[in-house]
Amino acid sequence: MKNIILLIAFWGFAVAGQAQIRYELPCDKRLFDSSLDTLKGLVGTQEATNNNDGAKINEIQLICGIPIGSAYCNATQYYAFFVSAKELKMDTMNLPIPRNGLAQSSFNYAKKQGVKTEYKAQVG
């Protein structure tokens, strides 16, 4: 059974005015919870030379389909969903955010596909 949970589809704010704009996208609860665990496992990961690089970062960029050395703010969230979906034997083609390295892309996607709601700080 799929549970619908709330997902804030942007992790950074490219435009200051967007900080208080929130859109919800559906996400399977198991996938969301697993992706949080995956993200927690990345705590402490560091770039090798401060140039968007390093073994784990390169893996994240490859999974997300962006060139090595690219900005990867959103790619890390996509990676967490992708890895978690594989572990849960779920379809990786139906992740709640688009395959892209930039947070602005997820915000734009959520703006088109999501439901605008009142901003309230919370996990997810």
Side-chain angles (χ1 to χ4, degrees), residues 44-70:
T45 300
Q46 295 183 347
E47 295 178 355
T49 65
N50 293 325
N51 290 308
N52 297 334
D53 62 352
K56 182 54 80 174
I57 293 163
N58 293 351
E59 179 184 348
I60 289 167
Q61 292 163 330
L62 289 172
I63 295 255
C64 195
I66 60 175
I68 300 299
S70 297

Side-chain angles (χ1 to χ4, degrees), residues 5 27-38 81 84:
I5 62 172
C27 182
D28 182 282
K29 182 169 177 22
R30 295 175 307 137
L31 177 62
F32 182 80
D33 291 345
S34 180
S35 73
L36 280 179
D37 290 340
T38 300
F81 281 129
S84 296

Side-chain angles (χ1 to χ4, degrees), residues 9 12 24 35 41 44 48 51 71 75 83 86 95-97 106-107 112 114 120:
E24 296 177 8
S35 73
N51 290 308
V83 168
K86 293 278 246 181
L95 300 179
I97 61 173
S106 283
F107 179 82
K112 288 181 184 175
K120 178 173 68 171

Side-chain angles (χ1 to χ4, degrees), residues 60-92:
I60 289 167
Q61 292 163 330
L62 289 172
I63 295 255
C64 195
I66 60 175
I68 300 299
S70 297
Y72 60 97
C73 53
N74 191 68
T76 304
Q77 181 61 66
Y78 180 86
Y79 170 86
F81 281 129
F82 183 88
V83 168
S84 296
K86 293 278 246 181
E87 289 173 359
L88 295 168
K89 297 182 181 5
M90 297 172 81
D91 184 1
T92 58

